[in-house]
Amino acid sequence: MPPIKERQMHRIHVGVVALSAVAVASASAGVVQFMASDGNKLFRADSTGNVDAPITLSAHIQSLTFVPGGFSIPGAGGGNIVACAADPVAGKWAVYRVDDPAGAATLVKIGETSFSVGSLAFGTDGMYGVDASASPIRVRKLSSTDFSITQSWSTGVNVTGGGGLAFDRTNDRFLLTDYPNNRLMSWIPGNNATNIGAVGFGFLNNGLEFIQGDLYGALRPDSPNNTLRFGKFDTSTGAFTTLATATGILGNGTGFVAIPAPGALALAGLALVAPRRRR
């Protein structure tokens, strides 16, 4: 979808993720691991500011999602990471499982959707995806058996496909972004989204995720727009604090995953932690 503030230069894609209940319950306070995509590049960083060199994926993706414990979808279950394709093949968009995300990060196709999913999150009752081509922002609920659309809602936010999506289990609501107005929004299905507050800088591509009551995100700022800021939101004001910054971003779509401290990863069945160097 064409971003307003980039004069149609790039498509805005957003990637979002809800964490495994096992990981959330098990993680102690500590370093949070970040993963974000930019087209077919995967960037890895952490909350202390360390950033790895990117690796190349076999396809362009625009969403990364951690399947929560207790959920099962075709080809993936609790603890797996899934991704949505940025580009269609014969009118369908692939859904992938990401194997070995800390290593070679192989994409394994597990299904497909009938629309471009700009952002995916798990609510209490299943998968919700932002339609990357609809304005106002529309969120569609997806079947857990074949990824078909079962329900659709308008958020009332007049943006085409933009808006990172994450589910706040404590307050039983979704949070999303309104990138033209640089703000964080709260949304409950069936209602219009309401403004929480300003992020603090202009941004385009973005992704969100909750961990243990904290909302993390990856935002591509207006300037310099070849960077991606990883950080944490204040969910009462909308303000964003940058914790790490990746460079070499082209604006080809932002999928985002945040993973809690390493001890939780083993319990979630993931080996996502690799040695990092500061950049």
Side-chain angles (χ1 to χ4, degrees):
M1 51 291 192
I4 297 169
K5 297 192 295 187
E6 271 203 340
R7 301 184 180 95
Q8 315 299 318
M9 289 178 63
H10 296 293
R11 297 174 68 197
I12 297 292
H13 298 301
V14 290
V16 292
V17 60
L19 279 175
S20 163
V22 175
V24 170
S26 306
S28 59
V31 176
V32 177
Q33 312 293 327
F34 302 132
M35 294 187 183
S37 64
D38 177 47
N40 68 340
K41 300 295 184 183
L42 183 66
F43 292 81
R44 292 174 287 202
D46 66 40
S47 57
T48 69
N50 294 319
V51 181
D52 286 343
I55 62 172
T56 301
L57 302 171
S58 60
H60 287 245
I61 61 173
Q62 61 188 27
S63 177
L64 288 165
T65 302
F66 193 101
V67 182
F71 283 88
S72 178
I73 59 176
N80 287 133
I81 291 174
V82 297
C84 297
D87 304 308
V89 175
K92 301 290 185 179
W93 286 261
V95 180
Y96 302 102
R97 186 183 69 243
V98 184
D99 290 348
D100 190 20
T106 304
L107 299 179
V108 179
K109 185 178 177 181
I110 59 174
E112 56 190 22
T113 63
S114 61
F115 69 101
S116 177
V117 179
S119 176
L120 189 66
F122 280 85
T124 56
D125 58 349
M127 294 180 290
Y128 292 75
V130 170
D131 189 325
S133 63
S135 179
I137 294 175
R138 296 193 67 83
V139 177
R140 307 191 189 283
K141 189 176 181 184
L142 304 180
S143 166
S144 60
T145 59
D146 62 5
F147 304 107
S148 62
I149 300 169
T150 61
Q151 284 183 275
S152 295
W153 301 269
S154 172
T155 64
V157 179
N158 290 311
V159 179
T160 301
L165 187 71
F167 187 64
D168 176 1
R169 282 171 170 72
T170 300
N171 296 295
D172 196 25
R173 62 176 181 172
F174 288 91
L175 297 187
L176 54 87
T177 55
D178 174 6
Y179 74 86
N181 296 300
N182 309 319
R183 58 185 183 172
L184 184 67
M185 311 290 289
S186 173
W187 177 69
I188 296 173
N191 299 280
N192 284 337
T194 58
N195 179 32
I196 293 175
V199 169
F201 58 90
F203 64 94
L204 293 162
N205 311 68
N206 62 97
L208 307 177
E209 178 186 12
F210 262 103
I211 297 177
Q212 299 172 292
D214 289 325
L215 179 65
Y216 292 92
L219 281 69
R220 178 176 170 240
D222 289 346
S223 180
N225 65 9
N226 67 336
T227 64
L228 190 67
R229 298 187 188 183
F230 299 93
K232 185 167 71 171
F233 287 88
D234 183 328
T235 55
S236 62
T237 67
F240 183 82
T241 299
T242 301
L243 300 175
T245 301
T247 60
I249 305 300
L250 299 178
N252 291 326
T254 300
F256 175 67
V257 178
I259 305 294
L265 299 178
L267 293 177
L270 290 171
L272 296 178
V273 181
R276 283 177 159 72
R277 60 183 177 87
R278 189 175 298 275
R279 297 180 64 199

